[in-house]
Amino acid sequence: MHTSSIPNMRWVIQNHLLDPGGGKVLDVGSRDVNGSYRELFKSWRYDYTGIDTENGPNVDVVAENPYRFPFPSEHFDFVVSGQTIEHVPAFWKWAEELKRVLKIGGKLVIIGPWKFGVHRFPVDCWRVLPDGMRSLLGDHLGMKILYADFGPEKGEEDCDVVGVAVKEE
């Protein structure tokens, strides 16, 4: 987890995801490597599930295929993923799966680095810029974009691009 990621996700929750009724959250790429989002969602009474391709701390479900998750379509109210997109070779296929498991009216959050050194887990393929995030969420996935820009929190050695979008019918 990059240093700016948790403050950026906290900002997203407070500005885009707060729902007094809670809801089901899927955190994609949840394995705790220098931190996780679980506590952020726990404090707001969300039903949190962490999924990753490897077992480890903060992983509830292991996905054998990063492009196909073991959940029915439209199962989660919120799908979040931070510091994972850069490690997914075919991120556009992966993003389609994030959308598939998201309910109509649900929100998708992707946080990815635009400035960060090479870090293989097991590969490091991409960096994300705001225009790329808007293209992925809007043009490719056909979602309504709520936010797609540099994150408000910037670390000394890392900076993130934050994307938030709603799945419409």
Side-chain angles (χ1 to χ4, degrees):
M1 183 76 61
H2 308 166
T3 58
S4 59
S5 190
I6 289 177
N8 277 324
M9 184 60 78
R10 184 178 298 112
W11 177 85
V12 168
I13 292 168
Q14 292 171 344
N15 290 278
H16 295 285
L17 299 187
L18 277 185
D19 186 330
K24 290 185 199 175
V25 175
L26 178 64
D27 181 357
V28 180
S30 68
R31 188 164 54 111
D32 186 339
V33 178
N34 302 318
S36 79
Y37 299 136
R38 186 179 294 271
E39 290 302 313
L40 295 177
F41 286 99
K42 184 178 178 182
S43 65
W44 295 103
R45 298 191 192 114
Y46 289 92
D47 179 12
Y48 175 99
T49 301
I51 187 171
D52 208 307
T53 56
E54 294 182 16
N55 199 7
N58 201 51
V59 177
D60 301 307
V61 176
V62 175
E64 294 180 20
N65 181 341
Y67 308 111
R68 184 70 184 170
F69 304 149
F71 304 110
S73 296
E74 300 182 8
H75 187 71
F76 293 94
D77 301 291
F78 307 99
V79 175
V80 302
S81 184
Q83 276 54 59
T84 300
I85 190 171
E86 71 269 28
H87 302 293
V88 182
F91 70 86
W92 53 93
K93 288 173 39 178
W94 170 83
E96 291 167 0
E97 185 63 2
L98 274 59
K99 181 182 175 186
R100 181 190 69 79
V101 299
L102 184 63
K103 291 180 180 177
I104 300 293
K107 294 179 182 172
L108 172 62
V109 178
I110 298 174
I111 299 177
W114 74 273
K115 175 184 163 189
F116 199 83
V118 173
H119 57 293
R120 292 181 173 89
F121 281 98
V123 297
D124 188 2
C125 303
W126 311 102
R127 294 298 177 265
V128 182
L129 291 169
D131 290 342
M133 186 66 76
R134 284 188 284 277
S135 178
L136 177 64
L137 296 175
D139 299 333
H140 183 70
L141 296 179
M143 298 179 75
K144 178 182 176 187
I145 298 170
L146 301 178
Y147 184 88
D149 210 337
F150 297 109
E153 297 292 331
K154 295 170 181 58
E156 288 189 28
E157 308 238 342
D158 61 358
C159 292
D160 296 325
V161 168
V162 176
V164 182
V166 174
K167 181 177 178 178
E168 299 179 311
E169 288 191 52

